[in-house]
Amino acid sequence: MRRADAVAAFTALGMACSAATAQGCARPVYLTFDTGHMEVAPLVADVLKRHEVKATFFAAHEKTRAGDGSLGEHWAAWWKARAGEGHEFASHTFDHVYWRADLPGGRFRVRASAGPDAGRDFEWTAAQYCAEIGKAAGRLQQLTGKKPLPLFRAPGGRTSPRLLAAMEQCGFKHVGWSPAGFLGDELPSELASNAALLARALRDVRPGDVLVAHLGIWSRKDPWAPAVLEPLVTGLEAKGFCFATLREHPAYRDWISAR
């Protein structure tokens, strides 16, 4: 993911704080996870449960170190357990399909990084991309027994205004992340140590931020979770922050409740 691709339209801090204050929290942050190789998924779940933190998971059917993919039967019990703990879920596209470019005639150039067509470019209509989002959402509902949020996160956070408008027309609003919310677990370990990533997050995260990490990054030698996740949670809580799901985010709350 690229920090430059983060959605710029996050709600003003005052709105976030006002909404959260009514719920007993004046300094909310919104922890989100995208899928990955899933090796650290049980460890992530343990930290969240131990600290009673609720998160929002954006899921694609990606290759995993164990089992038949992140939305496969091997991981079904894991997803079901997270639903029972009160977490929220949303689509990350089924085959982790990147937007590449807008094309004439309302079409888009896309490339999947998972599934049988990984690495190939295609020209899709808006309806095809919307169906790809819906496929992951449908699978999440099968696995969790819970209706996913009508939100999606484009792989890499890569979008265009035209893509975002088209997806809203078919019922899905995009969620990126705040600049300080890029927690850095995709960066090379030799260039961004866990200690440095933790220090940066504790220094820079602000109320209202949407934070993003993953359930395992293939290229990172020193896993970010739980080494950074647990001290990040406790460190932010010590600074007066609390954690909420995107269902409660003022930028998405009305959109969600209307669907």
Side-chain angles (χ1 to χ4, degrees):
M1 292 184 179
R2 301 180 304 176
R3 293 175 67 178
D5 289 316
V7 171
F10 283 127
T11 304
L13 173 59
M15 289 180 63
C17 290
S18 175
T21 299
Q23 301 171 15
C25 173
R27 293 168 62 81
V29 290
Y30 303 87
L31 180 60
T32 71
F33 289 92
D34 295 350
T35 41
H37 60 57
M38 299 294 284
E39 187 172 61
V40 301
L43 303 174
V44 167
D46 288 346
V47 172
L48 299 182
K49 186 174 183 179
R50 184 159 53 249
H51 295 279
E52 299 183 340
V53 167
K54 300 297 184 287
T56 304
F57 292 91
F58 288 89
H61 188 45
E62 300 184 68
K63 180 182 176 182
T64 52
R65 290 195 187 276
D68 51 348
S70 48
L71 293 178
E73 288 303 315
H74 179 87
W75 290 99
W78 189 90
W79 289 109
K80 184 69 172 179
R82 303 294 77 75
E85 293 163 359
H87 299 288
E88 297 288 351
F89 310 95
S91 177
H92 194 34
T93 75
F94 193 80
D95 284 332
H96 207 251
V97 178
Y98 284 84
W99 170 89
R100 304 267 290 167
D102 292 343
L103 299 174
R107 299 172 74 86
F108 305 98
R109 180 175 294 115
V110 301
R111 179 183 294 176
S113 64
D117 294 319
R120 298 176 60 193
D121 280 7
F122 293 92
E123 294 185 7
W124 275 8
T125 64
Q128 285 174 296
Y129 199 91
C130 186
E132 175 73 11
I133 296 171
K135 184 177 181 181
R139 179 56 176 162
L140 278 166
Q141 186 157 353
Q142 288 179 335
L143 291 170
T144 65
K146 181 176 184 177
K147 183 179 179 181
L149 302 176
L151 307 172
F152 82 104
R153 175 170 288 150
R158 298 175 187 172
T159 65
S160 70
R162 200 173 85 190
L163 180 73
L164 297 183
M167 295 308 100
E168 288 194 18
Q169 284 293 313
C170 73
F172 294 99
K173 183 179 282 290
H174 186 256
V175 180
W177 53 88
S178 306
F182 177 77
L183 297 176
D185 63 335
E186 290 180 286
L187 301 174
S189 302
E190 57 271 23
L191 299 179
S193 68
N194 282 340
L197 293 178
L198 175 61
R200 185 179 69 184
L202 290 175
R203 181 191 67 217
D204 294 344
V205 167
R206 297 292 180 266
D209 280 354
V210 174
L211 317 181
V212 60
H214 299 77
L215 298 176
I217 294 294
W218 289 91
S219 60
R220 189 167 178 85
K221 297 176 182 177
D222 299 322
W224 180 90
V228 177
L229 177 59
E230 189 145 30
L232 177 63
V233 167
T234 57
L236 289 177
E237 288 181 335
K239 296 177 71 172
F241 289 91
C242 62
F243 293 88
T245 71
L246 291 175
R247 182 180 292 277
E248 302 163 81
H249 195 293
Y252 310 113
R253 186 176 52 219
D254 291 344
W255 174 271
I256 293 167
S257 65
R259 285 159 179 81

